[in-house]
Amino acid sequence: QVQLVESGGGLVQAGGSLRLSCAASGGTFSRYAMGWFRQAPGKEREFVVAIGWSGIKTYYADSVKGRFTISRDNAKNTVYLQMNSLKAEDTATYYCAARAAYAGMTLYSNDYNYWGRGTQVTVSS
């Protein structure tokens, strides 16, 4: 059973940056592919980015490509999301999620088995 805890959210002006972290416990972190999702008020949860177990393979939503960067440190059991050039439309609660690495990366939220509680990101325009 993997527990995930996000941190690093906050209020930032448009054009600014934030770095989110997701700390995992209760499992062998390197055995999990990780993903970040977000959900804005009144909207469905949407895929942001995924990363394979080694950190080599990544997959980004078009809406964040070139602005966001995912990385992971398996020694620290942590996945990061560096968010640059933030826009008002990036405002949402951001969630990290985990699924077994052998199953591969996916952009579908239903394919992830473990979820954190989320961290709020608010971008003021």
Side-chain angles (χ1 to χ4, degrees), residues 3-93:
Q3 291 82 46
L4 303 172
V5 179
E6 303 94 337
S7 61
L11 173 64
V12 63
Q13 288 187 336
S17 299
L18 281 175
R19 188 195 197 201
L20 306 184
S21 299
C22 173
S25 62
T28 302
F29 186 62
S30 61
R31 292 182 179 176
Y32 293 91
M34 303 296 295
W36 284 97
F37 290 77
R38 66 187 182 186
Q39 188 168 18
K43 295 186 177 181
E44 293 187 353
R45 188 169 297 188
E46 67 170 346
F47 169 77
V48 177
V49 60
I51 188 168
W53 70 272
S54 68
I56 295 175
K57 293 184 178 180
T58 58
Y59 182 74
Y60 291 86
D62 288 342
S63 59
V64 305
K65 201 173 294 183
R67 300 188 298 121
F68 290 11
T69 302
I70 190 171
S71 62
R72 65 188 294 164
D73 186 336
N74 286 344
K76 295 183 177 180
N77 293 347
T78 303
V79 61
Y80 305 97
L81 182 62
Q82 178 67 44
M83 305 186 296
N84 299 329
S85 302
L86 282 162
K87 305 175 182 179
E89 50 263 43
D90 294 319
T91 295
T93 300

